[in-house]
Amino acid sequence: MEGKKRRQKILIVDDNEMNRSILMDMLGDEYTVIEAVNGLHAVNELQKQASDIDLVMLDLVMPEMDGLEVLAVMNQRRWIESIPVIMISAESTSDRIKKALEMGVTDFIGRPFDDRIVRRRVLNTLLSSAKQAQLESLVAEQMYEKEQNSLLMIDILSHIVEFRNGESGLHVIHVRRLTEVLLERLAVKDPSYDLNRETISLISEASALHDIGKIAIDEKILNKPGRLTDEEFKIMKTHSMVGAQMLGGLAVHQGEPLVKIAYEICRWHHERWDGRGYPDGLRGTEIPIAAQVVAMADVYDALTSERVYKAAFSHEQAIQMITGGECGSFNPQLLECLGEAADTLQEQLSGKGEERKPQFELSSIVEKMSQHTELSASNRTLRLLEHERMKYSFFAAMSKEIQFEYTMSPAMVSLNAWGARSLGLDEIVKEPLSDPRVQAFLDNGLEEKIHAALYSTTPDSPTVSLEGKMNHGGTMKWYRFVMQSLWSEDEPPKLRGVIGKAVDIHSSRSYLENLERRASLDGLTGLLNLTSAQKQAEARLRDNPAENYALAFFDCDFFKQANNTYGHLFGNNLLIHIAEKLQKTTRVGDIVSRVGGDEYVVFFQYNQELEPIIHRIHSALQGENFDGFTISLSMGVATTEQMGPDFTAMMQAADKALYAVKQAGRGQYKFYDGSETSLTDAKGASVYTNQSEIIEFE
């Protein structure tokens, strides 16, 4: 029994409810009709179900977003190519009607509506669209079939070679995928190669034929487990010329780009950058880029795969051998590409190549179809793309990504359903940059960061990512933004928008920040440790080298005696007490740290007389009774006026002054003046004394 025939769906867009009702009465019996109260609502409906809508009946004059703005969006997102539009309006201005027709409107119906005219024009438009779709579908199927047949023949031929060569069957797949990865990186690194998607696809497909000439090589040589003799190796090397001759001898298809590229790869994939390859001894850019890339892919997979004559090398060994020149010399740019891809190369080769193939082929077909301006996307392609969109939306919702698309003209942002709910926004927001709800999310300079990131992109390198805080529900939360800029086809190209996603990384970022904060602190006192204090101090010295800074380095006299007399718990409490007193005595912004044991450092900026500041810090603790123990501090002080903006030099100078105090009897502080002389204590450690006046504690 035949299934129920699908009713065609019409979207009526009009801000006047009476007009929508009249059209619904005229068309509702034969068609499924949905309504939109304005242009913004219409774009929202199209975004959700463009593949199911067969016709749009669009009012010209509406609030929020008028008919021409809707047409602009439909052109920008290429909905106009598969969805016919009938303009409905009492508007009779010839310029506006002309503009609408230029933007792709199929027909025009004026008000008041005539039932017979409306029905006939709707039917004619749908019939015309159906014929066009049928033609496009036929062309798409033929192109798809041709693409599949070509790849099938390539796979058959290449796997025959692998079978005779005793290989696993994965070599061709790996070389194809590696070739694609390297070409994609090279396309970004050096646009002069003009490696567009179609060219990358052709080279990747042709790479499968790189060893086709091995069909003519004796299997005894191909599968010999040991080292080849000079004569055998000479025979083996002929496979590159044999493969090229096979392709060059084809009676047909000589003009096909695939055959031309395959010929180059077969003949020259054993040439090397320094001219020491074979068969023609080409060097440098004399070697076609397709052959250069396949050569590197071939070598990498050969190294990492087991062969009858060798065991497999590890990924790391293979990378090192190629970059170290053990496998011949390669284009320096390609070596950079290999290095950049190295971290993810194994993952990309781990069985995902075949899963990726249908989508890659589909992209190739869609690109080829788009070159035919008389055709728009076929129904088959639309169904496939809609299916992919649904899958991606589902996965995005599960992973809680905020997906967005922003266009500059008309200025609007489209959000995925989960993202809109998460942010409390509509799925379509017009003029977002002037919308207070959107602006609330872009506080704290996020808008400027995104703007700068997008304008740093180019048509050849459109992808950018950044991390920033977004105001979400009154809380500043960390998000990672991954975006791709969209460019016009003008010359020069103009930035016209962006697509991207925002992923909540607040928990992981906060966890890392907390770890970093904890790692920067002394576990006992809660003060900064010396490493973190030094980093902060050096940053200030670097940013403001002309300012005056002082460093006070001191320790607690007789601390070992306190430990021995009162116990280590007492000693710990004493160190904590000193830290708390220091934090109360110093200013906000001063850097206070525990160096280790009973030693502390205070680093600060000063614009007034320094001695009273040091005196205040020292006297805050000196002579204080702590549970029966009298605190005594010895302190050395150095400044940038003496040592320059050099933290290490200041520490060394303050250390010398500190030991001069120690030698003079403790419980005092001294400013380094360069007159200290080195002594050696009983343990052989280097200490310092001072022959100038020591300031006594009052």
Side-chain angles (χ1 to χ4, degrees):
M1 182 176 176
E2 282 191 23
K4 186 177 178 181
K5 184 178 179 182
R6 173 186 173 273
R7 282 162 59 103
Q8 292 173 295
K9 185 178 288 187
I10 299 175
L11 171 61
I12 298 175
V13 189
D14 198 314
D15 62 312
N16 188 300
E17 186 177 2
M18 180 61 72
N19 291 337
R20 299 198 308 272
S21 180
I22 292 171
L23 290 170
M24 174 77 78
D25 291 341
M26 292 178 177
L27 302 169
D29 291 341
E30 299 179 53
Y31 307 99
T32 298
V33 179
I34 57 176
E35 303 177 47
V37 299
N38 56 49
L40 207 59
H41 189 197
V43 171
N44 195 20
E45 289 298 326
L46 285 165
Q47 183 167 274
K48 291 177 180 177
Q49 48 182 329
S51 62
D52 291 331
I53 295 174
D54 299 284
L55 173 66
V56 173
M57 301 185 75
L58 181 64
D59 188 17
L60 188 58
V61 181
M62 293 180 292
E64 295 287 338
M65 179 182 282
D66 65 24
L68 292 179
E69 290 177 301
V70 173
L71 286 171
V73 175
M74 291 186 71
N75 275 275
Q76 198 168 70
R77 303 193 183 182
R78 303 187 72 171
W79 293 330
I80 197 73
E81 297 177 1
S82 56
I83 306 174
V85 178
I86 296 177
M87 188 65 76
I88 51 173
S89 181
E91 173 72 50
S92 57
T93 306
S94 60
D95 287 345
R96 291 174 70 86
I97 295 173
K98 181 181 177 183
K99 179 68 173 173
L101 291 170
E102 289 173 351
M103 296 177 77
V105 167
T106 304
D107 204 348
F108 184 90
I109 298 176
R111 292 197 294 262
F113 301 124
D114 181 288
D115 183 64
R116 288 175 300 175
I117 292 176
V118 169
R119 287 175 180 272
R120 173 48 59 186
R121 290 191 172 178
V122 166
L123 180 61
N124 288 344
T125 301
L126 289 170
L127 285 172
S128 175
S129 177
K131 290 178 181 177
Q132 177 79 352
Q134 188 176 15
L135 172 63
E136 293 165 4
S137 183
L138 179 62
V139 172
E141 287 174 8
Q142 290 174 343
M143 292 178 68
Y144 185 80
E145 185 177 354
K146 178 182 177 183
E147 186 89 2
Q148 292 284 38
N149 289 340
S150 296
L151 290 174
L152 179 61
M153 289 307 299
I154 289 172
D155 282 345
I156 290 171
L157 288 170
S158 57
H159 281 84
I160 288 172
V161 174
E162 288 200 348
F163 179 77
R164 294 189 72 249
N165 203 20
E167 294 174 355
S168 66
L170 290 176
H171 181 61
V172 167
I173 295 171
H174 287 173
V175 169
R176 179 186 290 164
R177 183 69 187 109
L178 283 163
T179 298
E180 185 182 356
V181 169
L182 293 170
L183 286 171
E184 286 171 349
R185 289 191 173 271
L186 185 61
V188 175
K189 186 176 293 291
D190 191 344
S192 67
Y193 284 108
D194 194 23
L195 293 168
N196 57 34
R197 183 184 298 174
E198 185 175 9
T199 301
I200 292 174
S201 174
L202 278 172
I203 296 174
S204 301
E205 291 167 13
S207 70
L209 298 173
H210 67 284
D211 276 342
I212 193 175
K214 287 185 178 179
I215 290 175
I217 305 298
D218 191 326
E219 286 187 31
K220 292 179 182 178
I221 296 176
L222 281 176
N223 298 315
K224 182 178 179 180
R227 184 181 181 87
L228 297 179
T229 65
D230 290 344
E231 185 61 30
E232 288 169 337
F233 184 57
K234 185 176 179 181
I235 294 171
M236 178 68 85
K237 292 199 308 185
T238 63
H239 79 273
S240 57
M241 282 298 295
V242 170
Q245 288 166 2
M246 290 170 65
L247 291 168
L250 290 175
V252 292
H253 305 305
Q254 279 302 310
E256 291 288 333
L258 181 65
V259 176
K260 177 179 178 295
I261 292 172
Y263 177 92
E264 293 176 349
I265 291 171
C266 280
R267 179 160 182 158
W268 293 308
H269 71 281
H270 283 289
E271 299 288 357
R272 291 295 178 261
W273 188 253
D274 58 4
R276 296 184 180 182
Y278 64 86
D280 299 314
L282 301 184
R283 66 169 58 239
T285 56
E286 294 174 347
I287 310 167
I289 192 61
Q292 292 185 46
V293 175
V294 173
M296 181 174 284
D298 185 34
V299 166
Y300 173 86
D301 191 62
L303 288 172
T304 55
S305 301
E306 186 176 350
R307 294 287 187 266
V308 293
Y309 53 86
K310 73 167 192 65
F313 291 101
S314 69
H315 164 76
E316 293 75 18
Q317 286 176 304
I319 295 294
Q320 186 176 1
M321 291 170 73
I322 293 171
T323 56
E326 294 180 49
C327 306
S329 63
F330 292 93
N331 184 335
Q333 285 185 318
L334 284 181
L335 290 172
E336 290 177 13
C337 292
L338 180 66
E340 292 166 3
D343 290 342
T344 59
L345 212 52
Q346 289 175 294
E347 180 183 343
Q348 295 187 72
L349 295 180
S350 60
K352 297 182 179 179
E354 290 300 283
E355 295 172 11
R356 191 176 182 278
K357 180 177 167 183
Q359 179 63 35
F360 187 72
E361 291 168 1
L362 177 60
S363 299
S364 177
I365 293 167
V366 171
E367 182 170 333
K368 290 174 182 176
M369 286 188 64
S370 68
Q371 296 171 359
H372 297 273
T373 56
E374 74 277 13
L375 298 178
S376 58
S378 69
N379 287 340
R380 177 184 198 150
T381 304
L382 284 173
R383 287 197 302 273
L384 287 168
L385 293 176
E386 175 64 13
H387 180 65
E388 292 299 314
R389 187 193 70 81
M390 287 174 60
K391 284 200 305 183
Y392 188 74
S393 296
F394 171 76
F395 291 133
M398 292 299 98
S399 61
K400 295 183 170 49
E401 294 177 351
I402 300 171
Q403 299 172 20
F404 57 89
E405 178 176 358
Y406 172 69
T407 55
M408 294 180 172
S409 180
M412 59 183 292
V413 66
S414 304
L415 297 162
N416 65 322
W418 188 91
R421 286 196 305 273
S422 172
L423 299 176
L425 296 173
D426 301 325
E427 290 185 28
I428 305 286
V429 181
K430 192 179 178 186
E431 300 292 344
L433 297 183
S434 58
D435 189 308
R437 298 173 303 165
V438 176
Q439 282 297 313
F441 292 106
L442 301 177
D443 286 348
N444 203 36
L446 180 58
E447 181 181 343
E448 290 76 12
K449 287 179 70 175
I450 292 175
H451 183 274
L454 289 177
Y455 276 92
S456 70
T457 65
T458 66
D460 296 319
S461 183
T463 305
V464 67
S465 63
L466 62 91
E467 293 182 0
K469 283 188 172 181
M470 186 163 67
N471 188 346
H472 195 170
T475 302
M476 299 303 294
K477 299 180 68 175
W478 281 101
Y479 282 83
R480 177 178 293 113
F481 296 85
V482 182
M483 302 172 289
Q484 179 170 314
S485 54
L486 305 174
W487 297 81
S488 70
E489 296 180 359
D490 302 331
E491 195 56 50
K494 297 177 183 176
L495 186 65
R496 62 179 179 84
V498 62
I499 57 174
K501 65 179 181 179
V503 182
D504 185 344
I505 59 169
H506 190 72
S507 296
S508 59
R509 182 67 182 255
S510 298
Y511 177 72
L512 289 174
E513 287 180 344
N514 187 46
L515 286 179
E516 290 175 0
R517 184 184 64 79
R518 289 168 60 185
S520 69
L521 300 180
D522 172 58
L524 177 65
T525 64
L527 298 178
L528 290 173
N529 57 39
L530 180 60
T531 300
S532 299
Q534 182 171 350
K535 286 181 180 178
Q536 291 188 22
E538 288 178 340
R540 296 187 190 183
L541 292 169
R542 184 171 57 252
D543 295 340
N544 299 289
E547 299 293 337
N548 291 327
Y549 293 93
L551 186 151
F553 183 24
F554 62 93
D555 65 14
C556 178
D557 297 326
F558 313 112
F559 178 71
K560 184 177 180 182
Q561 181 180 331
N563 262 340
N564 293 337
T565 304
Y566 301 101
H568 288 284
L569 181 60
F570 175 88
N572 286 345
N573 290 333
L574 173 60
L575 295 175
I576 293 170
H577 174 73
I578 293 172
E580 291 172 347
K581 263 306 189 63
L582 283 174
Q583 288 177 310
K584 292 177 182 178
T585 305
T586 53
R587 303 164 300 179
V588 174
D590 291 349
I591 298 173
V592 184
S593 74
R594 179 187 175 202
V595 177
D598 62 331
E599 296 178 326
Y600 298 82
V601 162
V602 180
F603 180 89
F604 58 92
Q605 182 181 343
Y606 65 95
N607 299 310
Q608 60 203 60
E609 189 178 350
L610 179 59
E611 197 277 332
I613 300 173
I614 297 297
H615 181 77
R616 184 180 72 249
I617 295 172
H618 188 267
S619 62
L621 285 158
Q622 179 68 28
E624 181 184 3
N625 184 292
F626 180 76
D627 291 344
F629 176 77
T630 302
I631 297 175
S632 173
L633 299 182
S634 296
M635 179 185 295
V637 184
T639 68
T640 50
E641 292 181 276
Q642 302 165 307
M643 311 308 300
D646 185 330
F647 183 87
T648 302
M650 293 174 74
M651 276 287 292
Q652 292 172 343
D655 186 36
K656 291 179 181 179
L658 167 63
Y659 276 96
V661 172
K662 292 280 190 182
Q663 293 296 313
R666 298 184 172 86
Q668 305 157 344
Y669 60 84
K670 177 188 182 303
F671 293 90
Y672 173 77
D673 61 10
S675 60
E676 291 80 1
T677 58
S678 176
L679 298 174
T680 302
D681 65 11
K683 296 180 182 179
S686 179
V687 296
Y688 303 88
T689 187
N690 181 20
Q691 297 175 357
S692 63
E693 180 186 1
I694 295 177
I695 301 173
E696 296 286 347
F697 168 71
E698 295 176 322

